[in-house]
Amino acid sequence: MAETGVKGDRGQRARGGLWIPGVVNLALGVPAMIPLYLTWWLLAEYLPMDCHSADDLARAGLANCNYHTLDHAGPVMFLLTVTGLFMLVLVLIVDLLLPLRRGDRLGTWLGTAVLIPVPFMVCMALV
């Protein structure tokens, strides 16, 4: 009888819905806003520029050069690397290792991982 309760508990937890994995992945999206914003900044500000070093600022014919963007590119890339690796490890722990250890279905946790960028997208839509 106790064995049936354990199976029922595990089955109930597996079928319990998407609420817990969804809320956890949405919560992971809050700190993930930092590397997502840094990625957006690099794609929207740094890559479209015609110059990629301070020496290029003196060249003639370059219209899309901004010294402040060049000045901030190095620290932004460093912060993106640090925060991106931190978030990658955090997502691997929360969405892969913990469900495996608890015996939860990986498909549910990995499927709701698509909710991680939602807070960033909402923030960008409101700005």
Side-chain angles (χ1 to χ4, degrees), residues 44-65:
E45 299 290 331
Y46 182 69
L47 287 181
M49 286 194 342
D50 294 335
C51 54
H52 293 287
S53 72
D55 297 333
D56 293 340
L57 291 170
R59 287 190 355 206
L62 296 178
N64 190 16
C65 285

Side-chain angles (χ1 to χ4, degrees), residues 24-42 76 79-80 82-88 90-91 113 115-127:
V24 168
N25 280 303
L26 281 172
L28 280 176
V30 174
M33 287 172 57
I34 296 169
L36 289 172
Y37 177 76
L38 295 172
T39 303
W40 175 84
W41 185 88
L42 283 172
V76 167
L79 286 173
L80 175 60
V82 171
T83 60
L85 286 174
F86 174 73
M87 282 307 303
L88 183 62
L90 194 59
V91 168
L115 296 174
I116 292 173
V118 169
F120 174 73
M121 289 188 281
V122 169
C123 182
M124 292 302 286
L126 292 176
V127 173

Side-chain angles (χ1 to χ4, degrees), residues 5-17:
V6 171
K7 285 184 181 178
D9 183 38
R10 178 174 283 174
Q12 179 67 21
R13 189 171 36 175
R15 285 179 297 187

